[in-house]
Amino acid sequence: MTRQDKNKALAATYEAVLGLAEAGQISKRTARAFDEICLTPVEGMSPEDIRALRLRENASQAVFARYLNVTPGLVSQWECGKKAAAQSIA
């Protein structure tokens, strides 16, 4: 199996697990365990990287925050290093 085949198989399995959970055939706890296995982990970004990304997209803190569904104050805290981005979103 190639990497792409594995990703397709994992995606199909994940969709099946979600369907089983919605149908009440497996517990929500089991479905959450599959979330941890299948979903891409979120990596933290440095304050400089966050600011560079926002500026590259030519967005104000308010627009960037709206896009991410967070407050402008939180974006400011990320960029100042007062809060870690990956911890805030998770």
Side-chain angles (χ1 to χ4, degrees):
M1 253 185 192
T2 67
R3 181 176 169 93
Q4 187 175 10
D5 292 336
K6 287 181 185 178
N7 288 339
K8 286 181 183 178
L10 190 58
T13 302
Y14 184 69
E15 287 184 36
V17 167
L18 290 180
L20 289 170
E22 288 177 11
Q25 299 300 310
I26 62 172
S27 69
K28 289 182 180 182
R29 175 183 262 175
T30 301
R32 280 193 301 270
F34 272 89
D35 280 346
E36 292 177 18
I37 294 168
C38 298
L39 297 179
T40 304
V42 175
E43 295 181 20
M45 294 178 71
S46 72
E48 296 80 16
D49 290 341
I50 294 169
R51 188 173 197 291
L53 173 63
R54 180 178 63 78
L55 293 176
R56 185 185 75 212
E57 297 302 321
N58 198 28
S60 65
Q61 286 183 341
V63 170
F64 195 65
R66 193 173 315 123
Y67 181 76
L68 296 173
N69 198 30
V70 298
T71 65
L74 183 56
V75 171
S76 176
Q77 289 176 338
W78 288 341
E79 291 184 2
C80 293
K82 293 180 182 176
K83 287 216 175 193
Q87 294 172 349
S88 300
I89 294 176

